[in-house]
Structures are given as structure tokens and as C-alpha cells.
Amino acid sequence: MEKRETFSSRLGFVLISAGCAIGLGNVWRFPYITGKYGGAAFVLLYLLFLVILGLPVMVMELAVGRASQRSIAQSFQKLEPRGSKWHWYSYIGFAGNYLLMMFYTVIAGWLLYYFIKMLRGDFTGLDADGVAGQFGDLMGRPGIMTAFMAIVVCIGMFVCAQGLRNGVERVNKVMMLCLLALMVVLAVNSVLLEGAGEGLRFYLQPNFRNLVYDENGSWILGETIFAAMGQAFFTLSLGIGAIAIFGSYIKKEHRLAGEAIRIGVLDTCVAFTAGLIIFPACSAFGVSTGEGPALVFVTLPNIFNHMALGQLWGGAFFLFLSFAALSTVIAVFENIISFTMERWELPRKKAVLFNFIAVLALSMPCVLGFNVWSGFTVLGMDVSGVEDFLVSQNILPLGSLLYVLFCTSRKGWGWEKFLEEANTGDGIRFPRAVRFYVSYILPVIVLFIFLMGYWNLFGGK
């Protein structure tokens, strides 16, 4: 096996780890649920759960990676007590990374395609139905979708083939800094739009009644709390070893609580700034912040189409989205490649080639699920919906639960060993006083999130 690389700088580690967490959920899910569940008041509730749910799990995943100096392929095996079976999860985590990329590379391809369309002026002069028709046309063209998915896979694998420092770290640094700069410019433009004030007030001025009652006066507090928990939990991409791999590439100069806080703050800043782009723009043009693909591929192009210099702003927006998606793709590809290198003792270039072919092939069902196989559904979900459900509602929460139990149980790595690793170096200490909370309460909350995912799918019908 090749000698393990390390990051050249702390900035590189933070930007790449945050890049793994920063993705499309920050842009098309965060604004939607914020709009649905109370605006500014919901943002405060989300931040609370980010601190008490997301950050402890992130510290644990980073600690497992740094202590083992391995990917999820061998990290549990190296740290677990002799004869225990924690390492069985490694293959499930590996499958989670693959499932995520099977639909994520397809959506990232859509973003690149829309970036080109926006720069070419393909939306100029179209009404709302015309803009919607452009998205429907894309869904019906598997050749175009396959080509742009393949471009995304080629970019990601090429970057990873150059190694950690020369490829993953160098490219992600540039992309993340460009992403942050583009977001600031886009947010300033949206805030200055005529009619943006109402959207800004809703987003920045808390009204705690909105957490309890919807616009029809119905009680929604329980639903709101679960939505805030889910967004805080899922936004950091925890539970599949995608954060642990970057912990394995860092040295022991800094305590891990501080590193997790930096990653969480950067991820939250991106989500918050996405709201500053979307809420004022939607308010200025009197449109809904609708959920999912409709927001990004129908509503926002329609807004840019009616905005002064809209072609420029629309192009910048889809470039920013492409950077956000590619940062996640590259980070997860690095985890997949590291797993392959460690498990089967392959050199990096061979591991890249193997995974390049595998990801291309395994992403095709998602491409075809929007057209040729559009009639195929499981429990009402199409191909991409099934893949997303398996990752988001199953592997992420159960994987996170396993990391928590592994770091706190005497039959796992254990609390004292975890705490020693987390608090090695300079910076903010992981508090010993939270042992009861992370050992007993946090697992129950994570299990609750897992069960609620199934309740929302089956029980609410």
C-alpha cells in the first residue's frame, strides 16, 4: 500500500471537509424548509440542533479517522477490541458512498449543463412555462444527461488521481474560495433587488409563533422540531466515513472539537448565504421557494430571466452550484478510492480506474430512471428517490449511531480512548461533562430521526 499522505495546511483540511458537507442540500433543501417552518426562528432552532447533534458526531468520526490513520475500510478494525465485529459496518459505509454518488453525479451534471445554457442565453425571452419546458426536455434526453454525468465523474476522478495534496487539496481549495466569493456577490445582488425587503424580514427577523403554527393556524411544533433535527443532522454528511477519511489525513496539532466547529460554521455560512440569495429574489419577483429540483431548475432560472443582467447572474449562480456539487463529489470519491486502496492494496491510479468505471456504470440507472425507466417505482419512489432514501434515511443515521456507540461503549473503542484522541493538540476541548448526553441521549435522538424517516414514508399515509 502507498505511503499515506497528509494535508499541507490546516486551511486545506477545513475547506475540503466543509466541501464534503456543503452540497445541494444547503441550497435547495435549506431555503425550502426554512420557508416552510418559520423563517428566522427556524434558523435559530436549526443552529441549536447543529451544535447538540451534528458537532459531537463529527468529532467522533474525525477521531476514529485520525486515531486509525485509515479510511472506513480498516478504521474500525484497527481500533476495535479483538474479536468484536464493528468492522462489519465498513462495507455498508462503502455502499453508502457509492449510493450517494449514483444520483449525486447525475444532478451535478444537470448543474454544469444549466451553467452552459445560462451563459448561452437559452432562457432569454422564455415565459415560466418555457423555462419549465427546458427542464422537462433535459429529463427526456438520456444522452445529454449521460454525457454531463460522465464529465462530472471524469473531473472528480482526474482530481483524485493526482493525489491528496496535488489533486484533492489544491483543486478543492480553489473551488471553495471561488464558491464563497460567488455567493457573497450573488447575495449582495439579491439583497439590493427592488422588493427584496419582505423576504429579508422573514429570513432575518425571528417570529417564534411561526415555529408553532403554520399560516392556517395548525399546530406544527413537532414537525418543525423534526425538520430542524433532520437538516442539522444530514447537512454534515456524517455516518459513511466521508468525514473520517479527512481526519485520517491530519496530524495531531489541533484538538478535534475546534476543527469540527470550523467545518460546521463554514457549512452553515454557505446554507445561510444561500438563503440570502434565494429569499430576497423570490420575494422581489413574487414566487415561492418550492422544494427540490423545481426551485433550482425552474423557479430560479425564471427569476434570472427577468432580472437585469440575469444571464450574468444566472451563469454565476449555476457556476457556484457546480462548485458546491463538485466539492462533494471529489471528497466522496477520495473516500471511495482510499477504501479501495486499503482493502485490496491497490495503487492510487488503479483504484481510480476501477472506481471510474464502476461509478459510471452504477450512475446509469438514475439517468434512465428519469426517462426510459420512469415507470419503475418502489413505494412510490423513482430510482433516484430509492437511492436517496437508502442513504439519507438509513445509512447516514445508522452509521452515525454506530460511530457514537463505538466511541462511548466499553465494548467498542471506548470513551477514554476517544476523549484522549479528540483532545490531543491545542484548541477547544471536547468536554468530559457531556459523557452521559453523548452516551445515552444522543443515540436515542439519532434513532428517533431514523424511525421518523420511516414514519414519514409509511405512517403519514
Side-chain angles (χ1 to χ4, degrees), residues 434-454:
V434 301
R435 180 176 184 177
F436 181 83
Y437 167 74
V438 298
S439 299
Y440 300 103
I441 299 176
L442 182 57
V444 172
I445 296 174
V446 176
L447 189 60
F448 169 75
I449 292 172
F450 167 72
L451 294 175
M452 280 299 295
Y454 276 87

Side-chain angles (χ1 to χ4, degrees), residues 277 303 305 341 360 420 439:
I277 296 170
I303 288 176
N305 199 28
M341 292 167 63
L360 277 180
E420 180 183 0
S439 299

Side-chain angles (χ1 to χ4, degrees), residues 178-190:
C178 289
L179 181 155
L180 297 173
L182 282 169
M183 289 199 76
V184 171
V185 172
L186 287 164
V188 170
N189 177 67
S190 287

Side-chain angles (χ1 to χ4, degrees), residues 135-151:
F135 185 61
D137 179 64
L138 173 61
M139 295 299 97
R141 300 174 69 183
I144 292 292
M145 292 175 65
T146 300
F148 278 87
M149 176 273 289
I151 290 171

Side-chain angles (χ1 to χ4, degrees), residues 52-64 76 86 89 233 238-239 396-416 418 430 434-447:
I52 66 175
L53 290 181
L55 291 182
V57 180
M58 177 173 282
V59 173
M60 292 175 182
E61 192 167 326
L62 286 171
V64 169
F76 291 105
W86 296 89
Y89 175 71
F233 184 76
L238 301 170
L396 289 180
L398 293 179
S400 296
L401 178 62
L402 184 134
Y403 272 105
V404 172
L405 296 177
F406 183 67
C407 290
T408 58
S409 171
R410 287 180 297 178
K411 295 183 179 180
W413 188 28
W415 170 258
E416 292 299 332
F418 154 70
F430 191 88
V434 301
R435 180 176 184 177
F436 181 83
Y437 167 74
V438 298
S439 299
Y440 300 103
I441 299 176
L442 182 57
V444 172
I445 296 174
V446 176
L447 189 60

Side-chain angles (χ1 to χ4, degrees), residues 122-307:
D122 289 354
F123 299 102
T124 304
L126 296 179
D127 58 14
D129 290 337
V131 173
Q134 292 280 316
F135 185 61
D137 179 64
L138 173 61
M139 295 299 97
R141 300 174 69 183
I144 292 292
M145 292 175 65
T146 300
F148 278 87
M149 176 273 289
I151 290 171
V152 169
V153 177
C154 286
I155 292 172
M157 289 297 177
F158 176 78
V159 170
C160 291
Q162 310 310 307
L164 179 68
R165 289 192 180 188
N166 294 328
V168 177
E169 181 176 1
R170 179 180 294 177
V171 173
N172 262 30
K173 268 185 183 179
V174 174
M175 279 203 310
M176 288 296 296
L177 293 174
C178 289
L179 181 155
L180 297 173
L182 282 169
M183 289 199 76
V184 171
V185 172
L186 287 164
V188 170
N189 177 67
S190 287
V191 168
L192 295 178
L193 289 172
E194 185 177 352
E198 183 179 347
L200 276 175
R201 280 190 294 274
F202 176 77
Y203 190 49
L204 299 179
Q205 185 175 313
N207 180 350
F208 292 100
R209 189 180 187 281
N210 292 340
L211 295 176
V212 183
Y213 301 100
D214 64 13
E215 56 187 14
N216 299 318
S218 301
W219 178 271
I220 60 167
L221 181 60
E223 189 179 340
T224 301
I225 290 173
F226 175 69
M229 281 183 179
Q231 180 65 18
F233 184 76
F234 296 124
T235 188
L236 297 175
S237 301
L238 301 170
I240 56 175
I243 294 296
I245 183 61
F246 298 118
S248 76
Y249 289 141
I250 58 175
K251 299 176 183 177
K252 297 181 182 285
E253 286 94 341
H254 304 288
R255 291 173 179 152
L256 295 177
E259 306 300 83
I261 289 171
R262 286 175 176 82
I263 296 167
V265 166
L266 191 53
D267 175 79
T268 302
C269 284
V270 169
F272 180 77
T273 309
L276 287 179
I277 296 170
I278 291 168
F279 279 108
C282 287
S283 172
F285 291 93
V287 298
S288 168
T289 57
E291 185 179 16
L295 171 66
V296 172
F297 296 105
V298 178
T299 302
L300 290 174
N302 192 45
I303 288 176
F304 291 126
N305 199 28
H306 292 85
M307 187 185 294

